[in-house]
Amino acid sequence: MRIVFLGPPGAGKGTQAEIISKEKKLPHISSGNLLREAVETKSETGRKARDYIEKGLLVPDEIVVDIIKDRILRDDCKSGFILDGFPRTLSQAKVLDEMLKKLGNRLDLVFYFAVSEESVVLRLTGRRICSSCGANYHEKFVPSEKEGICDKCGGTLYQRADDKLETVQERIRVYHEQTEDLIEYYKKSGILKEVVSDVNIEIITKNISDSIESALKKKDLISDGVV
Ligand code: AMP
């Protein structure tokens, strides 16, 4: 199964991608994580991407596309993947389609995470991350027992630079301007499923999981020649 998680920042794509990735044994590919790793290791790509990320702007297509192409070509992606945060522009979507076509594949499903702007701002500005193990917390919704300290490993919690209110507002603006058009693009290709993500995590996971299962069954019937 080749799956894309699409939606505004803070819609819960990353959280769901982690859970579904384990459940369905599909690699979780987060363009944001790959870019942040590149920034941390101070690679050439990371140096180029850093300013854009900190300002809440999109990193230029050619940088992101190369990172994603390399990742998708790895062996563990042969039977599928979950892309989280990519594509974010129409041209990225077209490059992805072309690339999969060359490999004799195509996207099976795109989940669009529909969420109110209010929730996005609350979720992102309250998010805290452990500097040692990467665990996610939220000041109000998932607080650590001791303020600023990770329950799992005792590491220090920090706020991502781009989760500060001003940058969050910029990221939302960029989403409306450059990413939202993808909803229509994938609707037209008939693979878009909307996930209401203002409800609790377990309900969202079940909705996604059920849709994947029924798409898998359909795929099997087609390859068996039944349909
Ligand atoms: P995320 O963790 O998905 O919210 O991504 C964090 C930041 O990484 C974004 O605000 C962008 O600056 C950059 N980024 C992630 N994915 C992409 C993408 N597909 N295209 C361009 N920039 C991206």
Side-chain angles (χ1 to χ4, degrees):
M1 276 272 143
R2 291 166 186 86
I3 299 167
V4 164
F5 281 4
L6 173 70
K13 303 187 298 293
T15 306
Q16 291 298 331
E18 282 284 306
I19 302 172
I20 299 287
S21 150
K22 286 196 188 107
E23 192 183 299
K24 309 288 181 207
K25 305 206 168 33
L26 290 169
H28 168 200
I29 306 177
S30 153
S31 48
N33 286 349
L34 291 172
L35 286 165
R36 278 184 292 278
E37 271 165 36
V39 171
E40 250 159 59
T41 56
K42 298 196 167 65
S43 68
E44 183 62 22
T45 305
R47 269 197 292 271
K48 285 185 197 153
R50 191 181 159 169
D51 255 15
Y52 295 97
I53 298 175
E54 284 183 357
K55 288 183 183 140
L57 300 173
L58 292 190
V59 172
D61 283 352
E62 61 273 17
I63 298 177
V64 193
V65 162
D66 277 353
I67 293 187
I68 294 291
K69 272 189 176 168
D70 285 351
R71 183 64 191 85
I72 287 180
L73 288 173
R74 276 169 40 190
D75 272 357
D76 63 339
C77 291
K78 276 204 170 117
S79 56
F81 48 74
I82 301 172
L83 274 176
D84 155 22
F86 184 96
R88 255 176 158 105
T89 63
L90 216 48
S91 66
Q92 289 179 11
K94 288 180 179 162
V95 169
L96 178 64
D97 284 348
E98 275 305 304
M99 184 191 176
L100 292 177
K101 202 169 160 191
K102 273 190 198 146
L103 295 169
N105 298 315
R106 60 182 190 88
L107 283 178
D108 297 293
L109 281 172
V110 175
F111 289 99
Y112 161 53
F113 287 62
V115 65
S116 72
E117 203 151 309
E118 229 181 319
S119 299
V120 165
V121 173
L122 262 178
R123 285 183 197 185
L124 289 180
T125 54
R127 177 162 68 179
R128 298 292 180 270
I129 296 160
C130 174
S131 51
S132 303
C133 72
N136 270 258
Y137 293 87
H138 189 284
E139 264 190 341
K140 286 198 190 108
F141 311 136
V142 196
S144 57
E145 267 175 37
K146 263 197 220 155
E147 201 187 318
I149 305 292
C150 178
D151 295 343
K152 291 178 187 150
C153 76
T156 312
L157 304 187
Y158 74 98
Q159 182 181 38
R160 257 169 61 175
D162 60 347
D163 280 346
K164 303 230 157 72
L165 182 61
E166 262 178 38
T167 318
V168 165
Q169 284 164 339
E170 181 64 0
R171 287 163 71 196
I172 295 172
R173 189 192 64 74
V174 166
Y175 169 76
H176 288 311
E177 195 180 282
Q178 301 189 60
T179 309
E180 217 165 31
D181 287 348
L182 291 182
I183 300 170
E184 211 38 51
Y185 178 76
Y186 287 124
K187 211 182 252 174
K188 276 191 190 139
S189 53
I191 54 172
L192 191 86
K193 296 245 178 264
E194 182 167 329
V195 182
V196 177
S197 48
D198 277 323
V199 292
N200 82 33
I201 291 182
E202 288 79 17
I203 296 178
I204 304 171
T205 306
K206 173 139 190 0
N207 288 340
I208 297 174
S209 183
D210 289 352
S211 293
I212 295 175
E213 284 313 308
S214 58
L216 266 174
K217 272 188 202 140
K218 220 187 222 170
K219 221 177 162 180
D220 284 348
L221 289 177
I222 291 170
S223 68
D224 290 347
V226 179
V227 178

